[in-house]
Amino acid sequence: MGLVGWGFPSAHRHANGRIASPVAPLPAASRLSDAIGLMRERGLRASAARRLVLEALLVADGPMSAEQIAQGIGGRVPSSDIGSVYRNLQALEEIGLVRHVHLGHGPGLHALAVTGEQEYLTCERCGDYRAVDPHQLDAVRKLIGRQFGYLASFAHFPIVGLCASCARAVGERRNSFHRPR
Ligand SMILES: [Zn+2]
Ligand SMILES: [Zn+2]
């Protein structure tokens, strides 16, 4: 189940599939209380340390490492103990409130599972990444399934390649290298 509809500023999908105009975001405090409510509903005690992890993920602009969360997302929320951040991320992932993705060589990056499933593309040259709606990769999934019999998912591990500007830069370098003197 995607945890849509509790006040995220993203476009909001009606049951009939039409996209309604974007819903105004609720104030951060009430979104936090929604997340805490879900955590309790799914059987986790809302300890101060867990609330802090949720708060950090709510203010984050994208998936974050445990270390960034422990450091309070660059000081935007209070910092916390890294060991407890690891344990709480794991507990929150077990109840489906948090998910993680591996972008590049670094550690897994964590996000709230609030916008339904997201899949990713990432650039191995500059580290840029894009989060996309899984529907946008269904044609690729279908092709891989037909060709290799694999059901592909790009949520835990992204599609890795070159972003448009790196592809252009690499192409130009290649062209100048091959240009006859
Ligand atoms: Zn993983
Ligand atoms: Zn790039």
Side-chain angles (χ1 to χ4, degrees):
M1 184 194 73
L3 306 175
V4 288
W6 49 288
F8 266 69
S10 52
H12 148 119
R13 198 181 294 269
H14 274 283
N16 62 13
R18 274 184 326 166
I19 306 284
S21 52
V23 180
L26 296 173
S30 101
R31 287 186 294 164
L32 179 62
S33 65
D34 287 344
I36 289 168
L38 276 167
M39 173 163 71
R40 286 203 178 111
E41 235 168 72
R42 295 177 188 195
L44 267 194
R45 199 170 54 83
S47 66
R50 284 186 192 134
R51 298 159 85 110
L52 208 52
V53 168
L54 291 178
E55 208 180 330
L57 292 174
L58 274 166
V59 304
D61 305 314
M64 293 286 145
S65 68
E67 201 157 301
Q68 287 171 305
I69 294 164
Q71 288 165 359
I73 316 292
R76 290 164 74 186
V77 300
S79 57
S80 37
D81 171 66
I82 183 80
S84 103
V85 169
Y86 276 119
R87 282 192 301 277
N88 288 322
L89 282 171
Q90 198 174 345
L92 289 166
E93 187 153 352
E94 276 163 16
I95 62 164
L97 207 54
V98 166
R99 56 187 162 70
H100 76 268
V101 59
H102 301 270
L103 300 172
H105 293 292
L109 303 178
H110 309 267
L112 280 177
V114 289
T115 47
E117 182 145 28
Q118 297 227 278
E119 296 195 308
Y120 298 89
L121 297 95
T122 188
C123 176
E124 63 182 347
R125 186 168 177 267
C126 72
D128 179 59
Y129 73 89
R130 273 184 70 179
V132 301
D133 188 304
H135 292 294
Q136 293 180 275
L137 291 169
D138 280 349
V140 177
R141 214 181 321 277
K142 205 177 272 176
L143 180 73
I144 291 171
R146 220 172 31 230
Q147 203 92 334
F148 305 106
Y150 268 58
L151 176 59
S153 163
F154 311 105
H156 185 195
F157 291 96
I159 291 178
V160 180
L162 293 174
C163 72
S165 74
C166 286
R168 218 163 25 241
V170 166
E172 275 161 20
R173 211 170 50 198
R174 225 171 255 157
N175 287 343
S176 68
F177 185 73
H178 291 301
R179 198 172 293 147
R181 288 161 183 260

